[in-house]
């Protein structure tokens, strides 16, 4: 047993990327009493030299200037520490994997939402998984990948509340969001397809992509429930806007896509036993007959256990001025950052959302310092 009187210095952490997840990660590291922000890596030249507190909208400085010198940033970890890798991997998964392997082989724990295929590393392709396993072995380090939508809502939470049931007919995980406030216009317009002609195929729902992204989480839930998934099925439904709408992201014209709904279904004994569903709109007026947040707000994450008893849990998080998209990002980032101390003491290797226990908050202890 560890000696509770032993003093352990804070774990130095590099935050790599300052987008939606990066901002939330900086805030999480800055608040955690057992972590210390060592460096922030940016790709945008305009951000170089800016204070991390400013980039994260903390309202105070952190005396850590953003840099695009990756070698110098990683050197601040002195062969240990951790990296919160928040750079996007949607369009550059191979490059993201190389970045992550670099940090792992140097001895840093890495937490990231950026490589979808590693949500369930056990089912990841060998060519992706094996170099990262090798990097973990070389660096004596650990990698934890969990989703941005958020991961805990599609693995740990449904597994946890399933234990409150005696009979289960279906497990359904939903993300229900109005994307008009999502601070990633290119993703909203071109990956999700909002504002595009109805014959445009959004990358998010191109054949096989939903299963690649969310299939691992389906398999994790199945593993927790002790069942085997026979196959994955995808369903997609799109709706056009009846009228042009203007949002913080600009205009979205009438007749273009205003709503997207899809499911990834884990088929067990011929039935969709485990379902991950996304219901996405650019305005609440579009597809109002689809599921909505319980309070009619901008977004919610929901887990439904159909069975006896029927259980429904809705999670609504807000951040950055009451924005629910930012709130969802923050919960995903906090799940990752808060796991760093546990991972620093774990055996080298790859971990998923069922492997890593949810860490009780230490933030009250931090405030009392």
């Amino acid at each position: 047993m560890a000696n509770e009187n032993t003093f352990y210095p804070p774990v130095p952490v590099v935050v790599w990327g300052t987008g939606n997840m990066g901002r939330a990660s900086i805030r999480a590291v800055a608040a955690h009493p057992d972590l210390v922000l060592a460096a922030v890596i940016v790709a945008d030249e305009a951000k170089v030299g800016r204070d991390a507190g400013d980039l994260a909208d903390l309202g105070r400085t952190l005396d850590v200037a953003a840099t695009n010198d990756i070698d110098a940033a990683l050197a601040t970890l002195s062969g240990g520490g951790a990296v919160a890798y928040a750079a996007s991997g949607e369009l550059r998964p191979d490059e993201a994997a190389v970045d992550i392997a670099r940090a792992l082989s140097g001895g840093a724990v890495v937490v990231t939402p950026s490589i979808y295929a590693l949500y369930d590393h056990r089912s990841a392709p060998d060519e992706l998984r094996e170099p990262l396993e090798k990097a973990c072995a070389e660096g004596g380090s650990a990698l934890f990948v969990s989703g941005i939508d958020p991961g805990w809502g599609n693995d740990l939470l449904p597994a946890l509340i399933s234990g409150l049931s005696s009979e289960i007919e279906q497990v359904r995980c939903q993300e229900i969001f109005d994307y008009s406030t999502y601070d990633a216009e290119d993703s909203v317009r071109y990956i999700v397809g909002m504002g595009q002609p109805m014959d445009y195929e959004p990358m998010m729902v191109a054949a096989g992509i939903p299963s690649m992204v969310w299939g691992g989480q389906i398999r994790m839930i199945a593993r927790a429930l002790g069942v085997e998934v026979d196959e994955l099925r995808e369903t997609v439904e799109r709706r056009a806007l009846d009228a042009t709408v203007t949002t913080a992201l600009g205009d979205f014209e009438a007749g273009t896509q205003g709503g997207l709904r899809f499911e990834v279904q884990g088929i067990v004994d011929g039935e969709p036993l485990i379902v991950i569903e996304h219901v996405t709109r650019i305005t609440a007026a579009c597809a109002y007959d689809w599921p909505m947040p319980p309070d009619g707000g901008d977004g919610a994450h929901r887990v439904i256990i159909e069975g006896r008893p029927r259980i429904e849990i809705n999670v609504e998080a807000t951040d950055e001025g009451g924005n629910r998209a930012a709130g969802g990002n923050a919960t995903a980032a906090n799940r990752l950052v808060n796991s760093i101390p546990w991972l620093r003491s774990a055996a080298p290797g790859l971990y998923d959302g069922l492997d890593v226990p949810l860490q009780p908050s230490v933030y009250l202890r931090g405030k009392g310092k």
Side-chain angles (χ1 to χ4, degrees):
M1 178 179 292
N3 183 345
E4 295 181 357
N5 294 318
T6 302
F7 173 74
Y8 296 97
V11 177
V13 180
V14 170
V15 174
W16 193 328
T18 57
N20 292 324
M21 287 292 284
R23 294 195 304 272
S25 297
I26 291 171
R27 294 192 295 267
V29 173
H32 200 298
D34 298 328
L35 306 176
V36 61
L37 187 66
V40 172
I41 298 172
V42 295
D44 185 350
E45 288 282 349
K47 293 182 179 180
V48 173
R50 289 179 59 187
D51 187 84
D54 176 39
L55 291 171
D57 194 26
L58 265 177
R60 60 187 174 90
T61 60
L62 295 176
D63 296 326
V64 176
T67 181
N68 57 4
D69 187 335
I70 297 172
D71 288 332
L74 295 180
T76 65
L77 300 178
S78 301
V83 172
Y85 188 84
S88 175
E90 289 178 334
L91 302 178
R92 47 181 295 280
D94 294 339
E95 293 92 333
V98 169
D99 290 342
I100 290 168
R102 177 180 182 178
L104 290 168
S105 62
V109 157
V110 177
V111 295
T112 182
S114 297
I115 304 182
Y116 300 137
L118 286 172
Y119 288 170
D120 175 35
H121 59 87
R122 292 167 176 81
S123 63
D126 291 345
E127 60 269 24
L128 172 62
R129 186 187 66 254
E130 289 176 355
L132 294 169
E133 289 177 331
K134 180 181 178 182
C136 287
E138 290 175 351
S141 52
L143 170 63
F144 175 32
V145 183
S146 182
I148 193 175
D149 59 339
W152 54 263
N154 297 337
D155 49 51
L156 189 61
L157 183 60
L160 177 66
I161 64 174
S162 72
L164 306 178
S165 300
S166 59
E167 300 174 8
I168 296 178
E169 299 168 4
Q170 186 184 74
V171 178
R172 179 175 293 268
C173 307
Q174 294 178 320
E175 179 183 85
I176 308 169
F177 263 88
D178 178 341
Y179 268 24
S180 64
T181 62
Y182 194 67
D183 185 20
E185 183 177 358
D186 285 350
S187 293
V188 171
R189 290 189 181 272
Y190 303 112
I191 295 178
V192 181
M194 295 303 180
Q196 299 298 327
M198 293 304 291
D199 59 359
Y200 175 88
E201 183 179 58
M203 180 186 296
M204 178 180 280
V205 291
I209 296 298
S211 293
M212 183 275 289
V213 176
W214 289 279
Q217 294 174 323
I218 294 279
R219 295 186 185 94
M220 276 196 285
I221 296 172
R223 189 169 85 239
L225 272 57
V227 298
E228 291 287 336
V229 173
D230 301 322
E231 62 172 314
L232 297 174
R233 296 178 186 167
E234 301 172 3
T235 69
V236 179
E237 186 176 357
R238 301 168 69 206
R239 291 282 182 86
L241 288 167
D242 293 330
T244 297
V245 297
T246 300
T247 76
L249 301 179
D251 293 337
F252 293 80
E253 301 293 333
T256 65
Q257 179 183 296
L260 175 67
R261 182 181 186 181
F262 67 88
E263 294 183 359
V264 180
Q265 302 173 345
I267 307 301
V268 179
D269 296 331
E271 298 294 331
L273 179 64
I274 304 166
V275 180
I276 292 178
E277 177 184 12
H278 277 223
V279 180
T280 303
R281 302 173 173 87
I282 202 62
T283 173
C286 185
Y288 51 82
D289 56 316
W290 290 353
M292 298 284 286
D295 67 346
D298 295 336
H301 294 96
R302 176 183 294 159
V303 175
I304 302 170
I305 306 291
E306 298 287 0
R308 187 165 187 179
R310 182 184 187 277
I311 304 171
E312 179 175 320
I313 293 180
N314 290 277
V315 179
E316 302 161 16
T318 58
D319 202 348
E320 298 185 355
N323 186 303
R324 291 195 183 179
N329 290 333
T331 64
N334 293 340
R335 164 72 165 133
L336 289 163
V337 168
N338 290 344
S339 70
I340 288 172
W342 186 90
L343 290 163
R344 282 302 323 167
S345 63
L350 276 56
Y351 293 85
D352 63 35
L354 296 182
D355 298 324
V356 180
L358 186 65
Q359 301 301 300
S361 176
V362 295
Y363 295 99
L364 289 176
R365 175 164 60 86
K367 288 179 67 174
K369 280 192 171 184

